[in-house]
Every structure is written in C-alpha cells, then in structure tokens.
Amino acid sequence: MSEKGCIKCGSKDAGTKDVAMTGTGLSKMFDIQHNQFTVVYCKKCGYSEFYNKQSSTGSNILDLFFG
C-alpha cells in the first residue's frame, strides 16, 4: 500500500492532536467536553481531519489520512 500524502498539497508530514469539544444544550451551558476527537493535520498546509475517538477501533489513524 503506497502512501498518497495530504489530499490538499501532497505532503507526507502529518501530526496528530487529541481534542475535546462541548456538545449542545446542557453540556454546552456547563462546558462539559464529552465529545473527543483525534485530529490529523498536515504540517505543511494545515489541512485537518477529525476522527471520533469513541468509534475508533485502534486502527492507525494516519493510514486513514493518507488514504
């Protein structure tokens, strides 16, 4: 399987960050951040994709980003 790189610029230099966000309604009002995501981003152009951590099955998220 060959890596294609970033879909915007073709770079193969990517990073990941874990982020949490509020939802709507009461969770937003009380700033409860129960929505957790892993963000994969291109270090060259900044293109980013969000992956839901709860639905992740442990597969390599960088493989998903590169195709």
Side-chain angles (χ1 to χ4, degrees):
M1 179 170 158
S2 65
E3 291 184 3
K4 296 178 184 177
C6 173
I7 64 170
K8 295 289 183 182
C9 73
S11 174
K12 294 184 180 178
D13 192 13
T16 62
K17 290 184 182 182
D18 291 331
V19 298
M21 299 177 192
T22 61
T24 60
L26 291 176
S27 66
K28 185 175 184 178
M29 187 167 65
F30 292 110
D31 196 27
I32 300 170
Q33 298 180 345
H34 66 278
N35 298 308
Q36 297 182 354
F37 300 90
T38 297
V39 181
V40 180
Y41 62 94
C42 174
K43 291 182 178 180
K44 182 177 178 184
C45 73
Y47 175 76
S48 304
E49 291 183 355
F50 287 76
Y51 295 91
N52 189 335
K53 288 183 77 170
Q54 285 129 356
S55 64
S56 175
T57 58
S59 62
N60 188 343
I61 292 177
L62 287 174
D63 285 344
L64 292 172
F65 183 78
F66 286 129

Short mmCIF file of all heavy atoms in Angstrom, two decimals:
data_model
loop_
_atom_site.label_atom_id
_atom_site.label_comp_id
_atom_site.label_asym_id
_atom_site.label_seq_id
_atom_site.Cartn_x
_atom_site.Cartn_y
_atom_site.Cartn_z
N MET A 1 0.84 -1.17 0.00
CA MET A 1 0.00 0.00 0.00
C MET A 1 0.89 1.24 0.00
O MET A 1 1.72 1.42 0.87
CB MET A 1 -0.89 -0.03 1.24
CG MET A 1 -1.77 1.14 1.37
SD MET A 1 -2.89 0.73 2.72
CE MET A 1 -3.43 2.27 3.22
N SER A 2 0.75 2.08 -0.96
CA SER A 2 1.57 3.28 -1.03
C SER A 2 0.84 4.45 -0.39
O SER A 2 -0.37 4.58 -0.49
CB SER A 2 1.91 3.62 -2.48
OG SER A 2 0.73 3.95 -3.18
N GLU A 3 1.61 5.30 0.30
CA GLU A 3 1.02 6.48 0.91
C GLU A 3 0.85 7.56 -0.14
O GLU A 3 1.75 7.86 -0.90
CB GLU A 3 1.91 6.98 2.04
CG GLU A 3 1.95 6.04 3.23
CD GLU A 3 2.76 6.61 4.38
OE1 GLU A 3 3.24 7.75 4.27
OE2 GLU A 3 2.93 5.90 5.36
N LYS A 4 -0.34 8.15 -0.18
CA LYS A 4 -0.62 9.19 -1.16
C LYS A 4 -0.22 10.57 -0.67
O LYS A 4 0.07 11.43 -1.45
CB LYS A 4 -2.11 9.17 -1.49
CG LYS A 4 -2.57 7.89 -2.15
CD LYS A 4 -4.05 7.94 -2.40
CE LYS A 4 -4.54 6.62 -2.97
NZ LYS A 4 -5.97 6.60 -3.17
N GLY A 5 -0.25 10.79 0.62
CA GLY A 5 0.04 12.10 1.17
C GLY A 5 -1.22 12.92 1.36
O GLY A 5 -2.34 12.47 1.13
N CYS A 6 -1.04 14.16 1.78
CA CYS A 6 -2.14 15.08 2.04
C CYS A 6 -2.94 15.30 0.76
O CYS A 6 -2.37 15.51 -0.31
CB CYS A 6 -1.57 16.41 2.54
SG CYS A 6 -2.79 17.72 2.72
N ILE A 7 -4.27 15.28 0.87
CA ILE A 7 -5.11 15.45 -0.33
C ILE A 7 -5.07 16.88 -0.85
O ILE A 7 -5.46 17.12 -1.99
CB ILE A 7 -6.56 15.00 -0.08
CG1 ILE A 7 -7.25 15.86 0.96
CG2 ILE A 7 -6.61 13.54 0.29
CD1 ILE A 7 -8.74 15.60 1.07
N LYS A 8 -4.61 17.83 -0.05
CA LYS A 8 -4.54 19.23 -0.49
C LYS A 8 -3.20 19.56 -1.13
O LYS A 8 -3.15 20.22 -2.16
CB LYS A 8 -4.78 20.18 0.68
CG LYS A 8 -6.17 20.08 1.27
CD LYS A 8 -7.20 20.65 0.31
CE LYS A 8 -8.57 20.60 0.94
NZ LYS A 8 -9.61 21.08 0.09
N CYS A 9 -2.08 19.13 -0.51
CA CYS A 9 -0.77 19.57 -1.00
C CYS A 9 0.18 18.43 -1.34
O CYS A 9 1.25 18.65 -1.88
CB CYS A 9 -0.11 20.51 0.00
SG CYS A 9 0.50 19.70 1.50
N GLY A 10 -0.17 17.18 -0.97
CA GLY A 10 0.67 16.03 -1.27
C GLY A 10 1.76 15.73 -0.26
O GLY A 10 2.45 14.73 -0.36
N SER A 11 1.93 16.58 0.75
CA SER A 11 2.96 16.37 1.77
C SER A 11 2.68 15.10 2.55
O SER A 11 1.53 14.70 2.75
CB SER A 11 2.98 17.57 2.73
OG SER A 11 3.87 17.32 3.81
N LYS A 12 3.73 14.44 3.01
CA LYS A 12 3.59 13.23 3.82
C LYS A 12 3.98 13.50 5.27
O LYS A 12 4.18 12.57 6.04
CB LYS A 12 4.43 12.11 3.23
CG LYS A 12 3.90 11.67 1.88
CD LYS A 12 4.65 10.51 1.33
CE LYS A 12 4.06 10.13 -0.03
NZ LYS A 12 4.78 9.04 -0.64
N ASP A 13 4.07 14.77 5.65
CA ASP A 13 4.43 15.15 7.01
C ASP A 13 3.17 15.53 7.77
O ASP A 13 2.61 16.61 7.58
CB ASP A 13 5.41 16.33 6.96
CG ASP A 13 6.05 16.62 8.30
OD1 ASP A 13 5.95 15.77 9.21
OD2 ASP A 13 6.66 17.69 8.43
N ALA A 14 2.68 14.62 8.62
CA ALA A 14 1.43 14.84 9.34
C ALA A 14 1.66 14.71 10.84
O ALA A 14 2.61 14.08 11.29
CB ALA A 14 0.38 13.84 8.89
N GLY A 15 0.77 15.32 11.60
CA GLY A 15 0.79 15.22 13.05
C GLY A 15 -0.60 14.91 13.56
O GLY A 15 -1.59 14.98 12.82
N THR A 16 -0.70 14.56 14.84
CA THR A 16 -1.99 14.28 15.45
C THR A 16 -2.11 15.05 16.76
O THR A 16 -1.11 15.33 17.43
CB THR A 16 -2.19 12.78 15.74
OG1 THR A 16 -1.21 12.34 16.66
CG2 THR A 16 -2.13 11.96 14.47
N LYS A 17 -3.34 15.38 17.12
CA LYS A 17 -3.66 16.01 18.40
C LYS A 17 -4.98 15.44 18.87
O LYS A 17 -5.86 15.16 18.07
CB LYS A 17 -3.81 17.52 18.27
CG LYS A 17 -2.54 18.26 17.99
CD LYS A 17 -2.78 19.76 17.97
CE LYS A 17 -1.49 20.49 17.66
NZ LYS A 17 -1.67 21.94 17.66
N ASP A 18 -5.13 15.28 20.18
CA ASP A 18 -6.40 14.89 20.77
C ASP A 18 -7.10 16.15 21.26
O ASP A 18 -6.48 16.99 21.90
CB ASP A 18 -6.20 13.91 21.92
CG ASP A 18 -5.70 12.56 21.44
OD1 ASP A 18 -6.01 12.17 20.30
OD2 ASP A 18 -5.00 11.88 22.21
N VAL A 19 -8.38 16.29 20.93
CA VAL A 19 -9.16 17.45 21.35
C VAL A 19 -10.49 17.00 21.93
O VAL A 19 -10.98 15.91 21.63
CB VAL A 19 -9.41 18.43 20.18
CG1 VAL A 19 -8.11 18.99 19.65
CG2 VAL A 19 -10.19 17.78 19.06
N ALA A 20 -11.07 17.85 22.79
CA ALA A 20 -12.39 17.60 23.35
C ALA A 20 -13.23 18.84 23.10
O ALA A 20 -12.74 19.97 23.14
CB ALA A 20 -12.29 17.32 24.84
N MET A 21 -14.51 18.63 22.80
CA MET A 21 -15.42 19.73 22.49
C MET A 21 -16.73 19.55 23.22
O MET A 21 -17.13 18.43 23.51
CB MET A 21 -15.68 19.76 20.98
CG MET A 21 -14.47 19.97 20.15
SD MET A 21 -14.91 19.92 18.41
CE MET A 21 -13.29 19.83 17.68
N THR A 22 -17.40 20.67 23.45
CA THR A 22 -18.72 20.60 24.06
C THR A 22 -19.74 20.21 23.01
O THR A 22 -19.51 20.36 21.82
CB THR A 22 -19.13 21.95 24.67
OG1 THR A 22 -19.16 22.92 23.64
CG2 THR A 22 -18.19 22.39 25.76
N GLY A 23 -20.86 19.73 23.47
CA GLY A 23 -21.96 19.41 22.58
C GLY A 23 -22.95 20.57 22.56
O GLY A 23 -22.56 21.73 22.57
N THR A 24 -24.22 20.24 22.60
CA THR A 24 -25.26 21.27 22.62
C THR A 24 -26.05 21.15 23.93
O THR A 24 -25.87 20.21 24.69
CB THR A 24 -26.22 21.11 21.43
OG1 THR A 24 -26.83 19.82 21.50
CG2 THR A 24 -25.49 21.26 20.12
N GLY A 25 -26.94 22.08 24.16
CA GLY A 25 -27.81 22.03 25.33
C GLY A 25 -27.06 22.19 26.63
O GLY A 25 -26.22 23.07 26.78
N LEU A 26 -27.37 21.31 27.60
CA LEU A 26 -26.77 21.43 28.93
C LEU A 26 -25.27 21.24 28.93
O LEU A 26 -24.56 21.90 29.69
CB LEU A 26 -27.42 20.43 29.89
CG LEU A 26 -28.87 20.70 30.28
CD1 LEU A 26 -29.40 19.58 31.16
CD2 LEU A 26 -28.99 22.04 30.98
N SER A 27 -24.75 20.36 28.08
CA SER A 27 -23.30 20.15 28.06
C SER A 27 -22.58 21.42 27.61
O SER A 27 -21.50 21.73 28.08
CB SER A 27 -22.92 18.96 27.18
OG SER A 27 -23.23 19.21 25.83
N LYS A 28 -23.21 22.18 26.72
CA LYS A 28 -22.62 23.44 26.28
C LYS A 28 -22.71 24.49 27.38
O LYS A 28 -21.76 25.22 27.65
CB LYS A 28 -23.32 23.94 25.01
CG LYS A 28 -22.69 25.19 24.43
CD LYS A 28 -23.35 25.56 23.12
CE LYS A 28 -22.65 26.75 22.49
NZ LYS A 28 -23.23 27.10 21.20
N MET A 29 -23.84 24.53 28.05
CA MET A 29 -24.05 25.52 29.11
C MET A 29 -23.08 25.30 30.27
O MET A 29 -22.55 26.25 30.84
CB MET A 29 -25.49 25.47 29.60
CG MET A 29 -25.83 26.57 30.57
SD MET A 29 -27.59 26.77 30.89
CE MET A 29 -28.02 25.25 31.67
N PHE A 30 -22.81 24.04 30.62
CA PHE A 30 -21.92 23.74 31.74
C PHE A 30 -20.50 23.42 31.29
O PHE A 30 -19.68 23.00 32.09
CB PHE A 30 -22.49 22.57 32.56
CG PHE A 30 -23.75 22.93 33.28
CD1 PHE A 30 -24.96 22.39 32.89
CD2 PHE A 30 -23.73 23.82 34.34
CE1 PHE A 30 -26.13 22.72 33.55
CE2 PHE A 30 -24.90 24.15 35.01
CZ PHE A 30 -26.10 23.60 34.61
N ASP A 31 -20.20 23.62 30.00
CA ASP A 31 -18.86 23.40 29.44
C ASP A 31 -18.36 21.98 29.71
O ASP A 31 -17.23 21.77 30.12
CB ASP A 31 -17.88 24.44 29.96
CG ASP A 31 -16.60 24.51 29.12
OD1 ASP A 31 -16.67 24.16 27.93
OD2 ASP A 31 -15.55 24.89 29.66
N ILE A 32 -19.23 21.00 29.48
CA ILE A 32 -18.85 19.59 29.62
C ILE A 32 -18.36 19.10 28.27
O ILE A 32 -19.12 19.05 27.31
CB ILE A 32 -20.04 18.74 30.12
CG1 ILE A 32 -20.52 19.25 31.47
CG2 ILE A 32 -19.64 17.26 30.19
CD1 ILE A 32 -21.84 18.65 31.92
N GLN A 33 -17.08 18.75 28.21
CA GLN A 33 -16.48 18.39 26.93
C GLN A 33 -16.40 16.87 26.80
O GLN A 33 -15.38 16.25 27.06
CB GLN A 33 -15.10 19.03 26.82
CG GLN A 33 -15.17 20.53 26.86
CD GLN A 33 -13.82 21.19 26.74
OE1 GLN A 33 -12.79 20.57 26.89
NE2 GLN A 33 -13.84 22.47 26.45
N HIS A 34 -17.52 16.27 26.38
CA HIS A 34 -17.59 14.82 26.28
C HIS A 34 -17.40 14.31 24.85
O HIS A 34 -17.34 13.11 24.63
CB HIS A 34 -18.91 14.30 26.86
CG HIS A 34 -20.11 14.72 26.09
ND1 HIS A 34 -20.69 15.94 26.25
CD2 HIS A 34 -20.82 14.08 25.14
CE1 HIS A 34 -21.72 16.04 25.42
NE2 HIS A 34 -21.82 14.94 24.73
N ASN A 35 -17.28 15.20 23.90
CA ASN A 35 -17.03 14.80 22.51
C ASN A 35 -15.52 14.82 22.28
O ASN A 35 -14.91 15.88 22.26
CB ASN A 35 -17.72 15.76 21.54
CG ASN A 35 -19.22 15.74 21.71
OD1 ASN A 35 -19.83 14.68 21.69
ND2 ASN A 35 -19.82 16.90 21.88
N GLN A 36 -14.92 13.65 22.13
CA GLN A 36 -13.47 13.56 22.00
C GLN A 36 -13.09 13.11 20.60
O GLN A 36 -13.67 12.17 20.06
CB GLN A 36 -12.92 12.60 23.03
CG GLN A 36 -13.16 13.09 24.44
CD GLN A 36 -12.57 12.15 25.48
OE1 GLN A 36 -12.06 11.08 25.16
NE2 GLN A 36 -12.63 12.55 26.72
N PHE A 37 -12.11 13.79 20.03
CA PHE A 37 -11.67 13.53 18.67
C PHE A 37 -10.15 13.48 18.60
O PHE A 37 -9.47 14.10 19.42
CB PHE A 37 -12.14 14.63 17.71
CG PHE A 37 -13.63 14.78 17.65
CD1 PHE A 37 -14.31 15.63 18.50
CD2 PHE A 37 -14.37 14.05 16.73
CE1 PHE A 37 -15.68 15.77 18.45
CE2 PHE A 37 -15.74 14.17 16.67
CZ PHE A 37 -16.40 15.03 17.53
N THR A 38 -9.65 12.77 17.62
CA THR A 38 -8.25 12.85 17.25
C THR A 38 -8.20 13.64 15.94
O THR A 38 -8.93 13.33 15.02
CB THR A 38 -7.62 11.46 17.05
OG1 THR A 38 -7.66 10.76 18.29
CG2 THR A 38 -6.19 11.57 16.57
N VAL A 39 -7.39 14.68 15.92
CA VAL A 39 -7.23 15.49 14.72
C VAL A 39 -5.93 15.10 14.05
O VAL A 39 -4.88 15.05 14.69
CB VAL A 39 -7.19 17.00 15.06
CG1 VAL A 39 -7.05 17.83 13.80
CG2 VAL A 39 -8.41 17.41 15.83
N VAL A 40 -6.00 14.77 12.77
CA VAL A 40 -4.80 14.51 11.97
C VAL A 40 -4.66 15.71 11.04
O VAL A 40 -5.60 16.09 10.36
CB VAL A 40 -4.93 13.21 11.15
CG1 VAL A 40 -3.68 12.97 10.32
CG2 VAL A 40 -5.21 12.02 12.06
N TYR A 41 -3.48 16.33 11.07
CA TYR A 41 -3.29 17.55 10.29
C TYR A 41 -1.98 17.48 9.51
O TYR A 41 -1.02 16.84 9.92
CB TYR A 41 -3.29 18.78 11.20
CG TYR A 41 -2.18 18.79 12.22
CD1 TYR A 41 -0.97 19.45 11.95
CD2 TYR A 41 -2.30 18.13 13.43
CE1 TYR A 41 0.06 19.44 12.86
CE2 TYR A 41 -1.28 18.12 14.34
CZ TYR A 41 -0.11 18.78 14.07
OH TYR A 41 0.92 18.76 14.98
N CYS A 42 -1.99 18.15 8.38
CA CYS A 42 -0.81 18.26 7.54
C CYS A 42 0.07 19.38 8.11
O CYS A 42 -0.40 20.50 8.32
CB CYS A 42 -1.21 18.59 6.10
SG CYS A 42 0.20 18.91 5.01
N LYS A 43 1.32 19.08 8.36
CA LYS A 43 2.23 20.07 8.93
C LYS A 43 2.65 21.13 7.91
O LYS A 43 3.12 22.19 8.29
CB LYS A 43 3.46 19.39 9.51
CG LYS A 43 3.16 18.58 10.76
CD LYS A 43 4.42 17.97 11.33
CE LYS A 43 4.12 17.19 12.59
NZ LYS A 43 5.35 16.59 13.16
N LYS A 44 2.44 20.86 6.64
CA LYS A 44 2.83 21.82 5.61
C LYS A 44 1.73 22.84 5.33
O LYS A 44 1.96 24.04 5.37
CB LYS A 44 3.20 21.09 4.31
CG LYS A 44 3.67 22.02 3.21
CD LYS A 44 4.10 21.26 1.97
CE LYS A 44 4.52 22.23 0.87
NZ LYS A 44 4.84 21.52 -0.37
N CYS A 45 0.49 22.38 5.06
CA CYS A 45 -0.57 23.30 4.67
C CYS A 45 -1.65 23.50 5.73
O CYS A 45 -2.47 24.39 5.62
CB CYS A 45 -1.22 22.86 3.35
SG CYS A 45 -2.28 21.41 3.50
N GLY A 46 -1.68 22.63 6.76
CA GLY A 46 -2.66 22.78 7.83
C GLY A 46 -3.98 22.07 7.62
O GLY A 46 -4.85 22.10 8.49
N TYR A 47 -4.16 21.40 6.48
CA TYR A 47 -5.41 20.65 6.25
C TYR A 47 -5.60 19.66 7.40
O TYR A 47 -4.66 18.99 7.82
CB TYR A 47 -5.34 19.91 4.91
CG TYR A 47 -6.54 19.02 4.68
CD1 TYR A 47 -7.77 19.56 4.32
CD2 TYR A 47 -6.45 17.65 4.86
CE1 TYR A 47 -8.87 18.76 4.12
CE2 TYR A 47 -7.55 16.84 4.67
CZ TYR A 47 -8.76 17.40 4.31
OH TYR A 47 -9.86 16.60 4.12
N SER A 48 -6.82 19.57 7.91
CA SER A 48 -7.10 18.72 9.08
C SER A 48 -8.32 17.85 8.85
O SER A 48 -9.26 18.24 8.17
CB SER A 48 -7.36 19.60 10.31
OG SER A 48 -6.29 20.46 10.54
N GLU A 49 -8.29 16.67 9.47
CA GLU A 49 -9.45 15.77 9.50
C GLU A 49 -9.67 15.35 10.94
O GLU A 49 -8.71 15.09 11.67
CB GLU A 49 -9.21 14.54 8.63
CG GLU A 49 -9.16 14.84 7.16
CD GLU A 49 -8.99 13.59 6.29
OE1 GLU A 49 -8.81 12.48 6.84
OE2 GLU A 49 -9.03 13.75 5.06
N PHE A 50 -10.95 15.30 11.35
CA PHE A 50 -11.31 14.90 12.71
C PHE A 50 -11.80 13.45 12.69
O PHE A 50 -12.59 13.08 11.83
CB PHE A 50 -12.45 15.79 13.24
CG PHE A 50 -11.99 17.18 13.60
CD1 PHE A 50 -11.74 18.12 12.62
CD2 PHE A 50 -11.83 17.55 14.92
CE1 PHE A 50 -11.34 19.40 12.93
CE2 PHE A 50 -11.42 18.82 15.26
CZ PHE A 50 -11.18 19.76 14.26
N TYR A 51 -11.36 12.66 13.67
CA TYR A 51 -11.79 11.27 13.82
C TYR A 51 -12.35 11.10 15.23
O TYR A 51 -11.69 11.45 16.21
CB TYR A 51 -10.63 10.29 13.58
CG TYR A 51 -10.14 10.35 12.15
CD1 TYR A 51 -9.11 11.21 11.78
CD2 TYR A 51 -10.74 9.57 11.17
CE1 TYR A 51 -8.68 11.28 10.46
CE2 TYR A 51 -10.31 9.64 9.86
CZ TYR A 51 -9.28 10.49 9.52
OH TYR A 51 -8.86 10.56 8.21
N ASN A 52 -13.56 10.58 15.32
CA ASN A 52 -14.22 10.36 16.60
C ASN A 52 -13.47 9.28 17.37
O ASN A 52 -13.36 8.16 16.91
CB ASN A 52 -15.68 9.96 16.36
CG ASN A 52 -16.49 9.93 17.62
OD1 ASN A 52 -15.97 9.77 18.72
ND2 ASN A 52 -17.78 10.10 17.46
N LYS A 53 -12.97 9.61 18.57
CA LYS A 53 -12.20 8.65 19.36
C LYS A 53 -13.05 7.48 19.83
O LYS A 53 -12.56 6.37 19.94
CB LYS A 53 -11.55 9.34 20.55
CG LYS A 53 -10.40 10.24 20.16
CD LYS A 53 -9.75 10.84 21.36
CE LYS A 53 -8.88 9.79 22.01
NZ LYS A 53 -8.02 10.33 23.05
N GLN A 54 -14.34 7.71 20.10
CA GLN A 54 -15.19 6.63 20.60
C GLN A 54 -15.49 5.59 19.54
O GLN A 54 -15.71 4.44 19.85
CB GLN A 54 -16.49 7.20 21.17
CG GLN A 54 -16.27 7.84 22.52
CD GLN A 54 -16.84 9.23 22.59
OE1 GLN A 54 -17.35 9.76 21.62
NE2 GLN A 54 -16.74 9.85 23.75
N SER A 55 -15.48 5.97 18.27
CA SER A 55 -15.77 4.99 17.22
C SER A 55 -14.50 4.40 16.63
O SER A 55 -14.55 3.52 15.79
CB SER A 55 -16.61 5.62 16.11
OG SER A 55 -15.88 6.64 15.47
N SER A 56 -13.34 4.90 17.07
CA SER A 56 -12.07 4.37 16.58
C SER A 56 -11.84 2.98 17.13
O SER A 56 -12.05 2.71 18.31
CB SER A 56 -10.92 5.29 17.02
OG SER A 56 -9.69 4.73 16.65
N THR A 57 -11.40 2.07 16.28
CA THR A 57 -11.17 0.69 16.71
C THR A 57 -9.69 0.41 16.90
O THR A 57 -9.27 -0.73 16.89
CB THR A 57 -11.75 -0.29 15.67
OG1 THR A 57 -11.14 -0.03 14.41
CG2 THR A 57 -13.25 -0.14 15.57
N GLY A 58 -8.89 1.46 17.05
CA GLY A 58 -7.47 1.27 17.27
C GLY A 58 -6.67 1.17 15.99
O GLY A 58 -5.47 0.91 16.03
N SER A 59 -7.29 1.36 14.84
CA SER A 59 -6.53 1.33 13.59
C SER A 59 -5.65 2.56 13.50
O SER A 59 -5.88 3.55 14.18
CB SER A 59 -7.47 1.26 12.39
OG SER A 59 -8.29 2.41 12.34
N ASN A 60 -4.66 2.52 12.67
CA ASN A 60 -3.74 3.62 12.54
C ASN A 60 -4.43 4.79 11.83
O ASN A 60 -4.71 4.73 10.64
CB ASN A 60 -2.49 3.17 11.76
CG ASN A 60 -1.42 4.23 11.76
OD1 ASN A 60 -1.65 5.39 12.05
ND2 ASN A 60 -0.21 3.81 11.44
N ILE A 61 -4.69 5.84 12.55
CA ILE A 61 -5.43 6.98 12.01
C ILE A 61 -4.63 7.68 10.93
O ILE A 61 -5.19 8.21 9.97
CB ILE A 61 -5.83 7.94 13.15
CG1 ILE A 61 -6.87 7.27 14.03
CG2 ILE A 61 -6.36 9.25 12.62
CD1 ILE A 61 -7.31 8.05 15.23
N LEU A 62 -3.31 7.67 11.01
CA LEU A 62 -2.51 8.28 9.95
C LEU A 62 -2.71 7.55 8.63
O LEU A 62 -2.70 8.17 7.57
CB LEU A 62 -1.02 8.30 10.33
CG LEU A 62 -0.63 9.32 11.40
CD1 LEU A 62 0.83 9.15 11.78
CD2 LEU A 62 -0.90 10.74 10.94
N ASP A 63 -2.94 6.24 8.67
CA ASP A 63 -3.23 5.49 7.44
C ASP A 63 -4.53 5.98 6.81
O ASP A 63 -4.65 6.07 5.59
CB ASP A 63 -3.33 4.00 7.71
CG ASP A 63 -1.97 3.35 7.95
OD1 ASP A 63 -0.95 3.98 7.62
OD2 ASP A 63 -1.94 2.23 8.48
N LEU A 64 -5.54 6.31 7.62
CA LEU A 64 -6.80 6.82 7.11
C LEU A 64 -6.60 8.18 6.44
O LEU A 64 -7.18 8.47 5.40
CB LEU A 64 -7.82 6.96 8.24
CG LEU A 64 -8.33 5.68 8.87
CD1 LEU A 64 -9.17 5.98 10.10
CD2 LEU A 64 -9.13 4.88 7.87
N PHE A 65 -5.75 9.02 7.02
CA PHE A 65 -5.50 10.35 6.50
C PHE A 65 -4.81 10.29 5.14
O PHE A 65 -5.14 11.02 4.22
CB PHE A 65 -4.64 11.13 7.49
CG PHE A 65 -4.37 12.55 7.10
CD1 PHE A 65 -5.34 13.53 7.27
CD2 PHE A 65 -3.14 12.93 6.57
CE1 PHE A 65 -5.08 14.85 6.92
CE2 PHE A 65 -2.88 14.25 6.24
CZ PHE A 65 -3.85 15.20 6.41
N PHE A 66 -3.87 9.38 5.00
CA PHE A 66 -3.10 9.29 3.75
C PHE A 66 -3.79 8.46 2.68
O PHE A 66 -3.35 8.42 1.55
CB PHE A 66 -1.70 8.72 4.01
CG PHE A 66 -0.78 9.71 4.68
CD1 PHE A 66 -0.09 9.37 5.80
CD2 PHE A 66 -0.61 10.98 4.14
CE1 PHE A 66 0.76 10.28 6.39
CE2 PHE A 66 0.24 11.89 4.74
CZ PHE A 66 0.93 11.53 5.87
N GLY A 67 -4.86 7.76 3.03
CA GLY A 67 -5.62 7.02 2.02
C GLY A 67 -5.22 5.61 1.85
O GLY A 67 -4.39 4.94 1.96
#
